[in-house]
Amino acid sequence: MEAVRVLNDLLARPTHEGVLEGALSHASFLLGGNLRGYAVTHRAQGQDRAAQDRAPQDRAAPDRSAQDRVAAVFGYPKALVGTPLSGPWATLRTRVLSDGSGQLYAANPPELHGILDTCGMRDVALSLVVPVNDRGRNLGALVLDRNSPEDIGTAAQELVTRWATAIAPLLGLLESREEWKLTARQVSSAVVEAFESQDFDGLGHAQAVAEASVKLGRAVGLVDRELDELWFAATLHDLGKIHGEKGHPQVGANFLHGVPHLAQAQKAVRHHHERWDGQGEPDKLAGEDIPLYARILAVANAYVHLGDFERLRGEAGKGLDARLVGLMEKVSAESPAK
């Protein structure tokens, strides 16, 4: 029954952080409890999803932070998640560190020591580092910390090592899915850019609308999966113009026909020219009968086209959802879309 419970816990949050939190929790259980821990992921340059989601002007130059970062915690503050770290997990074998966090501090620059101090890592007396490998590929490591110098026996180390081996394929599967999603984004962006290049004034429009849409979607409370679909809708919203301006929303929606995972994106593309007052196209939907993604896309599209909120506010309650116009103004004041 314990195995079933653990499996349910892992699958309840099928993300890197969710799976690794569950993995740390069960590893602590296997070691008798009274431990804290964190999981570090090792990812190739370009696979960092957070960096991909940032606007180009906000992206830092590539450095080691794109390689190793904290992906989940157990017993440590959540603020540690996302922190770039170097540490004693490069070797592909389980190790007990009797000097506690000494090697961790030595491997990282002084500017990170304050974060580690805040998390209480100077109090660590002993650490167990367990690599996570999928078919010889280094995915990262589980690090379990104990404040007392009580040793962790060989049998317990083997238990946790086997546990890390068991979860590695699931992490590998999640990473493969992320790689596929990134590839799909890159291909979509390339296709749209090739289309936009026919009209110099249109270059970058889809990217700007996508960035504004995701900001607005996040403010509405959409989760990552929903934001992904909204991104595709915004990026592809004008692709139907390849057959001309007239009726392009329906043409663009037809391009997404038969893609089950983008069903809501298809609706958004089809209906992004509907109007809140019911005078839009193609189906003259009004108010909240217009799909949410389409209303978000319409506001973001108008914001990018008009360029100022005085003109955008003039469309609130007429062509656009007034609540979303207000949110767009709020999130743009906090972090202006470029």
Side-chain angles (χ1 to χ4, degrees):
M1 292 301 293
E2 175 66 18
V4 173
R5 183 193 66 77
V6 171
L7 180 60
N8 286 340
D9 287 346
L10 289 179
L11 296 180
R13 292 181 59 203
T15 63
H16 274 86
E17 184 176 1
V19 169
L20 287 168
E21 278 185 7
L24 289 166
S25 174
H26 189 60
S28 176
F29 169 80
L30 293 174
L31 295 173
N34 297 320
L35 292 102
R36 296 177 294 172
Y38 57 97
V40 175
T41 54
H42 179 84
R43 309 188 72 186
Q45 294 279 2
Q47 286 182 307
D48 187 344
R49 178 58 185 280
Q52 292 295 325
D53 282 342
R54 289 195 294 270
Q57 68 274 10
D58 296 329
R59 292 176 192 153
D63 60 12
R64 67 175 180 81
S65 68
Q67 294 289 322
D68 303 307
R69 66 178 59 243
V70 178
V73 293
F74 176 74
Y76 281 119
K78 277 276 192 179
L80 189 60
V81 174
T83 301
L85 285 181
S86 296
W89 42 76
T91 60
L92 302 183
R93 61 185 179 85
T94 299
R95 304 168 59 199
V96 174
L97 307 178
S98 57
D99 64 343
S101 57
Q103 293 185 45
L104 179 66
Y105 275 84
N108 287 282
E111 56 265 28
L112 287 180
H113 292 182
I115 297 174
L116 303 181
D117 289 346
T118 301
C119 293
M121 288 189 170
R122 286 202 187 271
D123 298 329
V124 173
L126 181 144
S127 295
L128 175 66
V129 179
V130 184
V132 180
N133 304 303
D134 181 35
R135 290 168 291 185
R137 189 159 57 107
N138 178 15
L139 300 181
L142 306 180
V143 183
L144 286 306
D145 293 335
R146 178 175 282 165
N147 285 3
S148 65
E150 178 186 351
D151 192 26
I152 298 175
T154 302
Q157 293 178 42
E158 290 177 354
L159 273 177
V160 179
T161 301
R162 286 201 297 270
W163 170 236
T165 300
I167 65 159
L170 179 55
L171 289 172
L173 179 63
L174 289 171
E175 185 168 293
S176 296
R177 186 179 70 176
E178 288 298 311
E179 290 172 356
W180 177 88
K181 286 163 63 177
L182 176 58
T183 299
R185 281 188 171 219
Q186 291 171 332
V187 170
S188 297
S189 296
V191 169
V192 170
E193 185 174 334
F195 168 66
E196 289 179 338
S197 67
Q198 299 176 52
D199 176 7
F200 182 78
D201 290 339
L203 273 174
H205 173 72
Q207 179 182 342
V209 173
E211 289 175 2
S213 294
V214 169
K215 285 181 182 179
L216 183 52
R218 188 172 286 116
V220 169
L222 299 185
V223 299
D224 286 347
R225 176 186 58 77
E226 295 168 323
L227 291 172
D228 280 336
E229 191 163 5
L230 178 61
W231 182 91
F232 277 103
T235 298
L236 301 173
H237 75 282
D238 275 345
L239 196 57
K241 289 182 179 180
I242 198 169
H243 288 301
E245 179 74 34
K246 185 176 181 180
H248 77 266
Q250 298 100 301
V251 175
N254 288 340
F255 288 148
L256 299 179
H257 178 70
V259 186
H261 297 301
L262 295 180
Q264 296 305 313
Q266 182 187 23
K267 292 180 183 178
V269 172
R270 176 180 175 84
H271 296 294
H272 76 277
H273 279 194
E274 305 282 4
R275 289 175 54 90
W276 185 259
D277 59 15
Q279 300 304 305
E281 298 291 341
D283 299 322
K284 297 194 180 301
L285 301 180
E288 294 190 358
D289 287 339
I290 304 170
L292 175 61
Y293 292 9
R295 284 182 275 141
I296 291 173
L297 176 52
V299 170
N301 194 29
Y303 169 56
V304 172
H305 270 302
L306 298 176
D308 72 78
F309 282 104
E310 184 175 350
R311 297 169 68 190
L312 192 68
R313 284 193 296 268
E315 284 296 308
K318 299 175 183 177
L320 303 173
D321 183 331
R323 181 178 73 93
L324 295 180
V325 169
L327 277 176
M328 187 79 257
E329 186 167 9
K330 179 180 179 183
V331 298
S332 296
E334 294 170 351
S335 179
K338 302 290 184 183

